[in-house]
Each structure stands twice: as C-alpha cells, then as structure tokens.
C-alpha cells in the first residue's frame, strides 16, 4: 500500500506488540523523531507508537498490518525544528517540562547530530527512564537516536535516587547539585537539555538555580505553561499527539536484554564482601508514638545497611566508603531475583570491583 503524505503532515502509526509492519520512503523526504529515513530502504516497526513526518511531502510504501494508521495535519515537528534553528549555535541550558518531553528531546538531539553537533542530555525525572528508572542521569548524545533503539547508553553518568517519585526532596537536591557539578566539570561546550518532572514552582526555581538554566520549554500542556512562574524565558510547543509509553518495566528490560532482546544477562549469587545499603529511613514512627515532648529527626540522606528484597533494583555504587554513597555514581544496575539465595540478575557474568550495592524502592518482576 502506498500513501501520499502532504507537506508538513505526519503519518501516525500504532503498532501493537504482536504486530509487525515495514515502511519504505519511495519519494520525498521523511523522518521519525528527527531521524531521516533513507529512500528505497525498508524500516521495521513493532510495539511502537510513532509518526512519520515530512517537510516536503513524501510517498511511503507500507507492508503488514497495524492497529491504526492515519494522516494528521497538526504536527509539533515544524516548531521543534524552528526552535532548533534558533538555538543551534548557542550554549544554552534549557529545562523541558510537560507531556511529550522525550519526543522533543529525541527530535532535538537528532537535529543536532545531523549538523554534526553533540547535545548534552540530562534526565532528572526518576520516573521517565530514558536512561534508567529511579536514576538522575547525564548522557552526551553524539549519534542518531534511532526510533526503535532509544538512547545508546554509552558511558552514562547516573546517580541512583532509588525511587520513582520525588518524596525525599533533600536527597533530590543533593544529587541534582552533584549532577550539575559533574556536567560542569566536563566543559563540553554543548547545548544542554534537562528533562524534568512535574514540579512545584519552588522546586522548579531551585532546578533553574542549580543548573543555571537559560530557558524553559513546556511541551503539550498549555495549562502548565500558563501556571509556570519562572524568572527565565519560557516557550510552549505542542506535542505530536502521541505520548511515548516508555514504562519502567520496558526501560529496565531494555537495559538488561537490549532493545531487540539481543543481550543475555547473567544470574549468580552475591558474595559476602558486598554490602547492601539504602539511603534514607525506610519506615518512620508517627509523631504520636514518640515520648511526650520528643521530636523526630528523619535521616533523609542517612546510609543504612539492609537485607536484599525480592525483585528490588540495586545500583552498583562507585563509592569507596559509606559516606560517599549518596554522591557517588552508579557503575551499573542489578536486580534481586532470589532473596533467599542472594541471587542477582546482572548484565555481566561478574560484578565490577566495588563494595556497595544501593537498594531503593524500584522493583522489576519481568525477568
């Protein structure tokens, strides 16, 4: 089947997990999230929601069946390209909020790569998981982010926050400050995008101050845009109509098994020389349970020893001692697959040389 995509339109595709289609661009120029599609080449799609956009008009050929496909006139990509064109020669630091953040960041990164430039990508939303769920991460993007492979996790810098929600704001502030220190120390000279969670104005102001941000981009949520009270310029960009379903389970599965299940993770018992830690108090007695007149001081950043929990995700800490754990990067991640036998799932047949594993509240059961 051949489909004519008019200029500045997009062909939206919804392909379920049990479906496969392939697409070829016959004529014209077309792209997916800023990745240019070569003419006369087949591209395979499965378990994905995406859109093929064209600035010039294009004819594509589709084989196979999918749940839904249709042409859409409204598209965010011209605005993303115009934004890219306005900042491509600058050294700005922009905070990205709203719905459709990953699509925006991926598309922007691909536009930079296509003009032979790099982009610094920071993810401070522990729920999103473009790098790894429960972590605050930094990654330099210097090659195309392909529509079916996501980000290439080549030497990312990750701090394990250990939770998908930002309840421990003290730990969050410490780790975002450490993340900024690391990025500044590298002096890459690249444009920086920071994918942020939905925060109160006070916390957003703190992030702006921490990262010395020069602008805020709000994607797809006009109400949020008008409620944003920022001391720096803000702009609004519509989203594409699709929100990437990058669930926590999918992100962790991609880390251990690869985008196309091309990896084979290892499982082995944890040796006694490794110490399992957690950051912050797991349980706290209510004020009513304390002696009369006593107050409770919660150790939000205290490091405590703990037992392995079934299905828990743990970070391999690069810390030399327990005092360094909060601010030390993760060397990788493992999952406890059998707490009684102390067995873990790991991408390598052995752990790197380290002392500590940091356990949070993130869990993974689909191994």
């Amino acid at each position: 089947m051949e489909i004519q995509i008019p200029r500045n339109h997009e062909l939206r595709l919804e392909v379920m997990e049990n479906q496969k289609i392939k697409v070829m661009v016959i004529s014209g120029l077309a792209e997916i999230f800023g990745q240019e599609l070569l003419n006369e080449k087949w591209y395979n799609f499965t378990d994905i929601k995406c859109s093929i956009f064209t600035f010039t008009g294009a004819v594509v050929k589709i084989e196979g069946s999918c749940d839904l496909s249709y042409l859409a006139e409204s598209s965010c990509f011209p605005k993303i390209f115009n934004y890219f064109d306005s900042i491509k020669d600058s050294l700005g630091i922009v905070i990205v909020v709203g719905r459709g953040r990953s699509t925006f960041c991926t598309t922007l990164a691909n536009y930079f790569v296509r003009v032979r430039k790099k982009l610094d990508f920071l993810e401070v939303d522990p729920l999103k998981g473009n790098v790894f769920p429960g972590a605050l991460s930094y990654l330099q993007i210097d090659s195309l982010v392909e529509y079916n492979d996501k980000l290439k996790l080549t030497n990312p810098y990750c701090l394990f926050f250990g939770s998908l929600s930002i309840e421990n704001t003290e730990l969050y502030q410490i780790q975002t400050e450490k993340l900024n220190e690391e990025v500044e120390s590298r002096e890459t000279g690249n444009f920086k995008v920071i994918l942020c969670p939905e925060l109160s104005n006070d916390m957003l102001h703190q992030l702006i101050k921490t990262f010395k941000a020069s602008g805020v981009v709000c994607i797809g949520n006009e109400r949020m845009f008008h409620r944003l009270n920022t001391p720096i310029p803000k702009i609004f960009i519509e989203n594409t109509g699709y929100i990437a379903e990058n669930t926590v389970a999918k992100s962790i599965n991609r880390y251990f098994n690869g985008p196309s299940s091309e990896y084979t993770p290892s499982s082995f018992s944890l040796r006694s020389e490794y110490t399992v830690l957690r950051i912050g108090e797991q349980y706290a007695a209510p004020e009513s349970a304390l002696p009369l007149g006593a107050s409770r001081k919660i150790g939000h950043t205290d490091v405590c020893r703990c037992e392995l929990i079934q299905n828990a995700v743990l970070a391999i800490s690069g810390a030399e001692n327990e005092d360094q754990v909060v601010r030390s990067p993760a060397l990788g991640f493992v999952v406890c697959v059998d707490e009684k036998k102390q067995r873990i799932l790991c991408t390598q047949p052995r752990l790197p040389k380290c002392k500590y594993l940091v356990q949070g509240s993130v869990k993974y059961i689909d191994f």
Side-chain angles (χ1 to χ4, degrees):
M1 176 177 65
E2 292 188 4
I3 297 177
Q4 172 77 46
I5 308 176
R7 180 175 178 268
N8 287 335
H9 284 56
E10 59 185 57
L11 173 64
R12 296 180 180 174
L13 303 172
E14 296 186 15
V15 189
M16 299 297 105
E17 190 174 359
N18 59 346
Q19 297 174 326
K20 291 183 180 180
I21 67 168
K22 57 182 183 178
V23 177
M24 176 193 291
V25 180
I26 297 176
S27 63
L29 301 175
E31 60 183 50
I32 300 178
F33 304 144
Q35 175 194 352
E36 185 177 4
L37 301 181
L38 302 178
N39 288 24
E40 304 298 326
K41 177 182 177 180
W42 286 110
Y43 292 88
N44 297 309
F45 297 81
T46 185
D47 190 22
I48 191 173
K49 290 183 179 181
C50 65
S51 56
I52 299 174
F53 174 78
T54 175
F55 283 104
T56 61
V59 177
V60 299
K61 184 177 182 180
I62 298 180
E63 291 187 2
S65 61
C66 61
D67 199 53
L68 181 65
S69 64
Y70 63 96
L71 288 171
E73 182 177 358
S74 61
S75 178
C76 64
F77 297 109
K79 289 187 177 180
I80 296 177
F81 180 81
N82 289 339
Y83 179 74
F84 158 75
D85 194 52
S86 69
I87 54 92
K88 63 184 179 183
D89 296 320
S90 68
L91 299 177
I93 303 171
V94 64
I95 284 176
V96 183
V97 296
R99 289 177 58 81
R101 295 164 295 166
S102 294
T103 295
F104 172 82
C105 292
T106 299
T107 305
L108 193 65
N110 281 337
Y111 286 152
F112 270 95
V113 171
R114 285 168 62 178
V115 295
R116 295 180 173 82
K117 292 189 176 185
K118 301 175 183 179
L119 181 78
D120 288 344
F121 174 71
L122 291 83
E123 185 168 67
V124 295
D125 183 353
L127 177 61
K128 197 61 181 171
N130 284 296
V131 180
F132 195 88
L136 312 183
S137 310
Y138 160 73
L139 188 68
Q140 186 178 97
I141 301 176
D142 57 5
S143 60
L144 282 175
V145 183
E146 299 197 20
Y147 68 94
N148 55 349
D149 283 347
K150 306 298 182 181
L151 290 174
K152 292 180 175 66
L153 302 183
T154 306
N155 197 27
Y157 181 89
C158 297
L159 294 167
F160 190 52
F161 184 67
S163 173
L164 301 177
S165 58
I166 306 173
E167 296 175 358
N168 191 341
T169 55
E170 184 179 342
L171 175 62
Y172 186 75
Q173 182 172 339
I174 289 173
Q175 291 194 335
T176 51
E177 289 174 353
K178 174 59 180 175
L179 188 66
N180 181 62
E181 288 175 13
E182 177 65 24
V183 174
E184 286 187 337
S185 70
R186 301 195 181 194
E187 298 181 344
T188 62
N190 301 328
F191 191 87
K192 296 172 176 58
V193 292
I194 306 170
L195 190 153
C196 292
E198 185 173 347
L199 300 169
S200 66
N201 275 319
D202 288 343
M203 287 191 69
L204 181 62
H205 287 181
Q206 183 60 47
L207 282 182
I208 291 171
K209 181 180 178 181
T210 297
F211 291 104
K212 304 178 182 66
S214 56
V216 176
V217 178
C218 182
I219 310 295
N221 190 332
E222 287 190 84
R223 184 176 184 274
M224 177 186 289
F225 174 76
H226 289 291
R227 288 181 65 88
L228 286 176
N229 178 18
T230 69
I232 55 178
K234 61 178 181 178
I235 67 168
F236 175 76
I237 294 179
E238 296 175 355
N239 63 30
T240 187
Y242 281 141
I243 302 301
E245 296 177 349
N246 190 37
T247 64
V248 170
K250 281 186 177 180
S251 296
I252 298 176
N253 180 72
R254 185 171 66 246
Y255 175 82
F256 284 102
N257 298 302
S260 304
S261 299
E262 66 270 31
Y263 303 153
T264 303
S266 300
S267 178
F268 51 85
S269 295
L270 197 62
R271 297 199 300 270
S272 58
E273 64 257 33
Y274 297 104
T275 304
V276 180
L277 306 171
R278 60 178 168 81
I279 301 172
E281 292 185 4
Q282 189 172 11
Y283 305 105
E287 294 283 356
S288 58
L290 298 176
L292 188 64
S295 61
R296 180 181 67 237
K297 182 179 180 181
I298 300 177
H300 291 293
T301 59
D302 291 346
V303 176
C304 313
R305 300 194 178 200
C306 64
E307 298 296 325
L308 273 177
I309 298 176
Q310 183 71 27
N311 302 329
V313 173
L314 300 95
I316 305 167
S317 177
E320 291 293 328
N321 56 64
E322 292 187 18
D323 292 338
Q324 298 175 352
V325 166
V326 170
R327 293 169 57 87
S328 292
L331 306 179
F333 301 94
V334 299
V335 175
C336 174
V337 295
D338 190 329
E339 61 179 324
K340 293 181 180 178
K341 296 182 180 180
Q342 301 280 290
R343 290 187 68 82
I344 60 172
L345 186 73
C346 184
T347 57
Q348 302 292 332
R350 66 181 66 180
L351 289 175
K353 189 176 181 180
C354 67
K355 297 179 181 179
Y356 306 110
L357 298 177
V358 183
Q359 183 170 262
S361 60
V362 183
K363 291 191 175 183
Y364 177 62
I365 61 174
D366 297 333
F367 46 78

